[in-house]
Amino acid sequence: MSETDSGVGMLTFGGHLEVFRKMLFRIIAVVVVLACIIFCFKTETFEILLAPKDSGFITFQYIERLLATMGMPFHFKEYDIPLINTELSSQFMTHITVSCLLAALLASPYIVFELFRFISPALYESEKKYSYLVAVVVYMLFLLGLLMSYFVLFPISFQFLGNYQVDDRIANTITLDSYITTFTTLTFVMGVVFQLPVMAFILGKMGFIDSRLLARYRAYALVIIMVVAAIITPPDLFTLVLVTIPIYALYEVSILILKKWGPKPAPEESEDEETPDVQVG
């Protein structure tokens, strides 16, 4: 923006709308350009997106090697689940949708930068310091959630659900649209779930929670995390553990963050916690 911080602060409501319109136009322009570039690399794009459906995917190979080193030789059953298309324009529209989604993902650092530049004049200096950190952490955690979905959650889910049959006479025919929808949904869910430390930090700054509260309810949190993991994963213990461990690790990270940067418990709360079993006769 060409205006100074003080200038932006004095803008009228219409002026702010104009600044927002220009920002939105820049974001859309960047996303459209990236989408066009990705659209031109159709083969490479769908090689990456369709790789998790193959029984030779790197995750399965790594799990087999890991179990072999632990003296537990194991091999995933080889499978080939072809994808089909049932609508005339479905493949073309899927290509466009995937290009736009990937473009938005690649442009997300720039989008965060533009949004922060828009709201930063309204922030105090202390708030700006936290905002920079929060923006970076949010983006990094979202990427970790995306990688978790791509390399662990989705391939194992597809392997289980794609091969599951209630009767041998019923063959699975998975549509391309179903595949992409499931892929993007799980990716988004994991990206949101991995924001747990950020949400804890924000709620802590607002005074709703503190480190002692989260530590006190560790056992309940673990149960809730396992229930959520069971909902978003296939019904097998191995996948449940693979998803539960990193999410619970994020819960512990949230406790550490609140210990360092969150609100301090009041003295009377500390005294109550130190003598929880004292009864007044």
Side-chain angles (χ1 to χ4, degrees), residues 24 42 44 50 72 80 87-88 92 118 124 133 150 153 173 194 204-205 212 221:
L24 194 60
K42 178 179 67 175
E44 293 79 5
L50 299 179
M72 297 182 291
D80 180 21
E87 300 290 338
L88 180 62
F92 178 70
F118 178 73
Y124 295 108
L133 178 61
Y150 181 80
L153 182 56
T173 52
F194 268 60
K205 284 297 179 183
R212 288 184 183 273

Side-chain angles (χ1 to χ4, degrees), residues 88-140:
L88 180 62
S89 62
S90 180
Q91 292 201 52
F92 178 70
M93 295 306 300
T94 298
H95 189 189
I96 293 177
T97 302
V98 166
S99 299
C100 293
L101 290 175
L102 290 178
L105 177 63
L106 292 179
S108 54
Y110 175 74
I111 295 174
V112 171
F113 168 75
E114 284 284 2
L115 291 175
F116 179 78
R117 192 169 68 161
F118 178 73
I119 66 173
S120 60
L123 300 176
Y124 295 108
E125 288 301 321
S126 59
E127 292 174 330
K128 288 182 181 180
K129 179 181 66 174
Y130 285 118
S131 298
Y132 283 119
L133 178 61
V134 169
V136 172
V137 171
V138 166
Y139 182 67
M140 295 305 296

Side-chain angles (χ1 to χ4, degrees), residues 47-275:
E47 275 187 5
I48 296 173
L49 289 178
L50 299 179
K53 84 178 191 67
D54 187 1
S55 58
F57 188 56
I58 185 173
T59 298
F60 300 128
Q61 297 179 17
Y62 180 78
I63 293 174
E64 290 176 355
R65 288 198 297 265
L66 178 63
L67 293 177
T69 58
M70 298 170 61
M72 297 182 291
F74 172 81
H75 294 284
F76 285 96
K77 179 182 178 181
E78 293 189 6
Y79 63 91
D80 180 21
I81 305 175
L83 300 181
I84 65 170
N85 178 58
T86 58
E87 300 290 338
L88 180 62
S89 62
S90 180
Q91 292 201 52
F92 178 70
M93 295 306 300
T94 298
H95 189 189
I96 293 177
T97 302
V98 166
S99 299
C100 293
L101 290 175
L102 290 178
L105 177 63
L106 292 179
S108 54
Y110 175 74
I111 295 174
V112 171
F113 168 75
E114 284 284 2
L115 291 175
F116 179 78
R117 192 169 68 161
F118 178 73
I119 66 173
S120 60
L123 300 176
Y124 295 108
E125 288 301 321
S126 59
E127 292 174 330
K128 288 182 181 180
K129 179 181 66 174
Y130 285 118
S131 298
Y132 283 119
L133 178 61
V134 169
V136 172
V137 171
V138 166
Y139 182 67
M140 295 305 296
L141 288 175
F142 182 79
L143 286 183
L144 286 176
L146 185 150
L147 294 175
M148 179 72 180
S149 174
Y150 181 80
F151 286 105
V152 178
L153 182 56
F154 180 74
I156 294 178
S157 298
F158 184 83
Q159 189 268 349
F160 174 83
L161 297 175
N163 288 290
Y164 185 82
Q165 293 177 281
V166 295
D167 192 285
D168 291 338
R169 294 169 294 180
I170 304 175
N172 287 328
T173 52
I174 314 299
T175 65
L176 175 63
D177 183 64
S178 175
Y179 179 93
I180 296 298
T181 300
T182 305
F183 180 88
T184 53
T185 301
L186 288 180
T187 298
F188 177 76
V189 168
M190 291 306 295
V192 172
V193 169
F194 268 60
Q195 303 303 317
L196 180 60
V198 176
M199 294 303 301
F201 175 78
I202 294 174
L203 292 175
K205 284 297 179 183
M206 296 173 66
F208 291 117
I209 60 175
D210 56 45
S211 59
R212 288 184 183 273
L213 180 66
L214 294 188
R216 187 188 310 162
Y217 292 101
R218 271 191 177 102
Y220 299 100
L222 179 58
V223 173
I224 294 173
I225 290 171
M226 292 181 68
V227 170
V228 173
I231 292 174
I232 64 177
T233 60
D236 68 90
L237 182 61
F238 182 73
T239 311
L240 178 65
V241 172
L242 279 179
V243 175
T244 299
I245 289 176
I247 297 178
Y248 182 74
L250 291 173
Y251 185 85
E252 291 294 333
V253 169
S254 301
I255 296 176
L256 295 176
I257 289 174
L258 289 178
K259 281 184 179 180
K260 187 172 181 61
W261 291 293
K264 303 300 179 184
E268 60 270 15
E269 293 178 355
S270 300
E271 292 174 3
D272 291 341
E273 287 185 10
E274 289 174 1
T275 58

